[in-house]
Amino acid sequence: MNAQFPAPGDNAATPQRPVVLIGPMAAGKSFLALHMSKFYGYDFVDADQVIVSRYGLISKIFAEHGEKYFRDLEADTVAEILRDPDHADAIFSVGGGAPVTPSTRELLRHELVAYLEVDTATVLPRISGNRTRPMLQPDPERRWQELYEARRACYEELADITLDGRGDRPVAEIGADLEAEIARLRSRPTAGGTTTDSTQEVQA
């Protein structure tokens, strides 16, 4: 977790950085990122969408080249987007397995990371019968739970912000929580070395 995040308008020594959304498959990261773009004016970048636009369907990449090949593409894509000044004010959604790749995890240690937390009951209607996510085959519910348990510690370790995405919480509420936490973490110190912050703690 970073100790300080640059605020908009900081000088070139501390340029603005993206906010990286992490969390398990089907958590709603892309939907939340799109909401933040529409209602709060952020750039919207989705690592999976970039990969698909360049290399084709992820399920096809897995089938033809295997998971390691995909993870290498994913790691390169994440690194490229994080370096790109055109995405300096982006909400950047990454795939559920991206933070588990060591090189990507190391990059994210130096970024502002928001973890969208969900549970099986929330995700089940979204993945039941799914055949398009290769990591969830052949039993989406069981595989999702296994992957989540294996990855949860990594999500929690990287998170500067934890967002409660469980149940039927509207995306507008989650987005408001995220915007408030971004503002809090990016707030500049006052002359006395403290920050002015009246933001309430995010639900978790």
Side-chain angles (χ1 to χ4, degrees):
M1 182 183 298
N2 285 340
Q4 180 178 355
F5 303 100
D10 279 0
N11 61 35
T14 54
Q16 178 77 333
R17 302 295 302 158
V19 177
V20 185
L21 273 181
I22 65 172
M25 285 183 285
K29 299 183 298 294
S30 298
F31 188 46
L32 175 58
L34 189 59
H35 174 86
M36 299 300 291
S37 173
K38 182 176 181 180
F39 290 96
Y40 294 96
Y42 293 93
D43 185 17
F44 164 56
V45 188
D46 183 279
D48 285 350
Q49 289 184 12
V50 173
I51 292 169
V52 168
S53 70
R54 293 178 178 179
Y55 307 106
L57 294 175
I58 292 173
S59 57
K60 187 175 181 181
I61 297 172
F62 265 79
E64 294 182 353
H65 302 286
E67 182 180 358
K68 184 182 185 307
Y69 181 86
F70 171 76
R71 293 300 174 200
D72 289 343
L73 287 180
E74 182 179 54
D76 289 345
T77 300
V78 170
E80 177 188 334
I81 291 170
L82 289 175
R83 290 194 303 264
D84 189 342
D86 289 342
H87 300 312
D89 193 31
I91 302 292
F92 177 27
S93 173
V94 303
V100 181
T101 300
S103 61
T104 301
R105 184 165 63 251
E106 187 57 33
L107 284 175
L108 296 187
R109 294 187 197 281
H110 306 285
E111 303 295 339
L112 174 49
V113 175
Y115 162 39
L116 182 55
E117 182 181 24
V118 290
D119 54 20
T120 307
T122 301
V123 169
L124 184 57
R126 306 172 188 173
I127 62 172
S128 181
N130 183 279
R131 294 291 179 267
T132 64
R133 296 178 183 267
M135 293 296 292
L136 294 184
Q137 307 312 314
D139 182 342
E141 181 179 357
R142 179 179 60 81
R143 284 293 294 147
W144 187 91
Q145 188 64 46
E146 290 173 351
L147 289 168
Y148 182 45
E149 291 302 326
R151 296 168 175 176
R152 180 165 57 180
C154 178
Y155 299 148
E156 293 174 349
E157 175 193 350
L158 291 171
D160 301 291
I161 300 168
T162 299
L163 300 164
D164 185 359
R166 296 170 294 180
D168 297 322
R169 289 197 74 206
V171 68
E173 288 186 8
I174 302 171
D177 285 345
L178 177 55
E179 178 66 6
E181 285 296 286
I182 292 170
R184 181 180 68 83
L185 288 170
R186 285 179 171 172
S187 59
R188 291 190 183 90
T190 64
T194 61
T195 59
T196 55
D197 175 26
S198 60
T199 304
Q200 294 183 350
E201 186 173 315
V202 174
Q203 298 180 29

